[in-house]
Amino acid sequence: MHSNDAQMLVLTVLADRPLHGYAINTAIEELTGRKLGPGSLYGALSRLEARELIRPADKAADKAAETQERHRTMQITDAGRDVLRSELQQMARISAAGLRALGITPA
């Protein structure tokens, strides 16, 4: 899986509610039928946090869990929602064009 795909999956599941690492991966598995590997998941979380698209849900409580990233509850930021919306709209346009090219009427 491409790192941008992993980041999109993380943003998608966090758009619903704040989650910690294990719960993020469980939600991704429910959505896609497969889990991300630890490197893909935690790499995506690190990149998204560095880009300020996600952040710890409770920074005070998170200090104690900083060394235990699996237990850090993360939430999407307003900038993250904007990026997710834009990417999903672009994916929808591409999907619709591909379905039409295959002779399938997009939903």
Side-chain angles (χ1 to χ4, degrees), residues 21-95:
Y22 180 81
I24 290 169
N25 216 5
T26 298
I28 288 170
E29 183 178 25
E30 289 171 5
L31 180 64
T32 67
R34 54 187 244 222
K35 286 186 177 187
L36 297 177
S40 294
L41 176 62
Y42 294 106
L45 289 170
S46 294
R47 286 187 293 280
L48 290 167
E49 189 173 8
R51 293 174 56 201
E52 297 183 352
L53 301 180
I54 64 172
R55 66 176 181 82
D58 181 357
K59 290 190 181 220
D62 233 21
K63 289 293 181 192
E66 224 168 65
T67 58
Q68 300 172 12
E69 186 156 323
R70 286 178 204 271
H71 303 293
R72 292 178 70 200
T73 299
M74 303 300 288
Q75 67 184 32
I76 193 168
T77 63
D78 289 341
R81 285 185 184 282
D82 291 343
V83 167
L84 178 61
R85 182 180 307 108
S86 175
E87 290 291 325
L88 290 175
Q89 288 171 336
Q90 180 180 11
M91 289 169 66
R93 286 190 300 273
I94 293 167
S95 176

